Amino acid sequence: MISPRVELAREKLTENELQGFIVSDRQNIRWLTGFTGSSGVALLTCDSVHLFTDSRYTIQASQEAPGAVVHISSEPPIKQVAEKVSTLGCEAVGFESTVVTVEEYRQLEDGAADVRLVGLAQALSPLRAVKDTEEIERLRKACEITDAAFSAIQPFLKPGTKELDILRELVYILTGLGAEKESFDSIVASGPRSALPHAHPTDRILAAGEPVLLDFGAQYQGYAGDITRTLFLGSATDEFRKVYQTVLDAQMAAIAAIRPGVPGKDVDEVARKIITDAGYGNSFGHGLGHQLGLSVHDGPALSPKSDIVLLEGMVVTVEPGIYIEGWGGVRIEDDVLVGRCGAEVLTVSQKSLTELAV
Ligand code: GLY
Ligand code: MN
Ligand code: MN
């Protein structure tokens, strides 16, 4: 039986008048064929799917990608696929122009001199954007583990603890709860470091009277959860309360605006207006949220520049933040399934202001 994903992807061949499409992005290869190895290239033609890899993956490739013809060689996969499209006599073949390196492109040109190479940017992204039932189940489970880990880590958020110690516990907790691994490098940012949206944990020691921001997720069967919560160690200051409430209002209003047919930039605008009206417009520099799936950043979604229109079955994050250098930051992030009538929030951890005992 031909997989529905392969059938969908074949529409790209017809649309672009191609006889083949070379897929190099690892998550796209996984989505299309099931193969999870670290080295490989797939080739989609109108009547077959080929997977080119090396002998480290002989067993794995045949187990994971039963619908593909597996080719094992010590030659780089890009050379293997170039030779294949040449021997198949393809006239025009697509490749992923945002993934293939200059060197790989040269190898393709050399190995497939008679084939017209057509660069396609993000061709599979729209197909991956709407999740199928199995993907939604995996994302639900990833979010469930992520929520459970957020509960379990809270006893470790104490003055005197290092950010890196919290990271170590978090990874231990995530994998203990059934995650394969973190879905991305977790963020543990305390005090003024919470103003760095993508802070790496350091040996900074948490102190009473400051915020601590956690941004992390479980990866479950390849699918990424992604949550952010910002807590306060002790009694929150008035300014922290004001900033926190602004971010929370923005996040909840944006979630309420999500439904199929709504442009992603309109949802961003709902949150951005609340933050701007409260006087913090210049302190919210990033977009409101991204798509979620096999990658944590599975594609653009909610931002002022987004041209995405929300569709039923998309999963997106909603993560407004206010960041003030030298003071700190607040971000609140949830993962949301776009349902027929509106948003279903998949991460359900408490998000009212939490003041931890110190
Ligand atoms: N820190 C990754 C994200 O939330 O998008
Ligand atoms: Mn995040
Ligand atoms: Mn995110």
Side-chain angles (χ1 to χ4, degrees):
M1 197 189 86
I2 301 165
S3 102
R5 294 180 189 176
V6 167
E7 277 197 85
L8 264 181
R10 282 208 173 109
E11 288 171 16
K12 294 288 155 194
L13 299 179
T14 331
E15 260 170 41
N16 295 285
E17 297 181 10
L18 304 170
Q19 292 77 51
F21 181 35
I22 296 168
V23 181
S24 300
D25 174 80
R26 272 176 68 180
Q27 307 301 2
N28 282 343
I29 293 170
R30 178 171 186 163
W31 180 82
L32 193 66
T33 71
F35 179 61
T36 65
S38 65
S39 175
V41 167
L43 170 67
L44 177 71
T45 73
C46 57
D47 56 11
S48 55
V49 180
H50 297 266
L51 177 63
F52 303 89
T53 182
D54 63 73
S55 65
R56 291 172 301 170
Y57 293 115
T58 307
I59 300 169
Q60 185 177 327
S62 61
Q63 288 175 346
E64 290 183 337
V69 183
V70 175
H71 304 262
I72 303 292
S73 164
S74 56
E75 283 293 311
I78 201 77
K79 284 196 175 179
Q80 296 183 53
V81 76
E83 192 184 325
K84 186 70 183 176
V85 295
S86 205
T87 52
L88 286 175
C90 297
E91 266 173 46
V93 165
F95 69 97
E96 295 184 301
S97 57
T98 53
V99 183
V100 166
T101 65
V102 173
E103 184 53 32
E104 286 169 337
Y105 182 73
R106 286 198 188 112
Q107 290 176 342
L108 268 182
E109 277 190 320
D110 286 351
D114 297 333
V115 178
R116 186 163 57 85
L117 298 170
V118 180
L120 301 176
Q122 316 288 0
L124 299 185
S125 296
L127 312 184
R128 276 177 52 185
V130 173
K131 271 56 188 179
D132 62 27
T133 312
E134 181 187 80
E135 291 179 296
I136 290 172
E137 282 318 304
R138 290 178 181 192
L139 282 161
R140 276 187 201 286
K141 183 72 180 168
C143 291
E144 193 185 306
I145 297 170
T146 302
D147 276 329
F150 177 66
S151 291
I153 195 64
Q154 289 189 44
F156 295 91
L157 306 178
K158 286 197 191 112
T161 312
K162 273 186 205 161
E163 291 173 357
L164 278 166
D165 291 338
I166 296 165
L167 172 70
R168 192 184 60 240
E169 290 299 336
L170 187 56
V171 173
Y172 183 72
I173 287 168
L174 280 166
T175 48
L177 286 167
E180 290 152 354
K181 59 178 183 173
E182 303 167 280
S183 53
F184 58 95
D185 289 343
S186 301
I187 294 168
V188 181
S190 59
R193 299 193 71 258
S194 53
L196 282 65
H198 274 185
H200 294 295
T202 65
D203 56 8
R204 185 180 187 280
I205 294 172
L206 276 58
E210 64 179 30
V212 56
L213 182 154
L214 302 183
D215 182 353
F216 66 93
Q219 181 178 304
Y220 178 75
Q221 293 186 357
Y223 285 78
D226 185 9
I227 197 171
T228 306
R229 291 292 184 266
T230 312
L231 307 99
F232 203 87
L233 294 156
S235 296
T237 59
D238 288 347
E239 189 176 10
F240 186 84
R241 281 179 187 283
K242 181 178 175 215
V243 169
Y244 194 92
Q245 194 58 48
T246 304
V247 174
L248 184 57
D249 289 347
Q251 203 240 14
M252 302 226 295
I255 290 173
I258 286 178
R259 80 189 80 83
V262 175
K265 66 173 175 333
D266 290 6
V267 181
D268 180 281
E269 180 53 27
V270 168
R272 204 163 294 279
K273 181 169 187 328
I274 290 171
I275 290 176
T276 303
D277 288 352
Y280 296 107
N282 291 333
S283 304
F284 175 30
H286 58 72
L288 181 66
H290 49 87
Q291 296 178 51
L292 207 55
L294 280 168
S295 304
V296 67
H297 292 157
D298 217 43
L302 316 176
S303 84
K305 291 190 178 151
S306 172
D307 55 6
I308 296 276
V309 173
L310 295 176
L311 298 171
E312 183 181 352
M314 282 182 172
V315 178
V316 300
T317 68
V318 183
E319 49 179 308
I322 293 175
Y323 311 96
I324 301 170
E325 189 174 357
W327 179 81
V330 172
R331 180 167 65 256
I332 303 171
E333 175 177 28
D334 282 311
D335 305 338
V336 166
L337 169 64
V338 182
R340 186 166 307 165
C341 303
E344 182 192 341
V345 183
L346 303 181
T347 41
V348 296
S349 295
Q350 176 181 316
K351 57 186 173 186
S352 55
L353 175 60
T354 302
E355 296 169 295
L356 296 164
V358 290

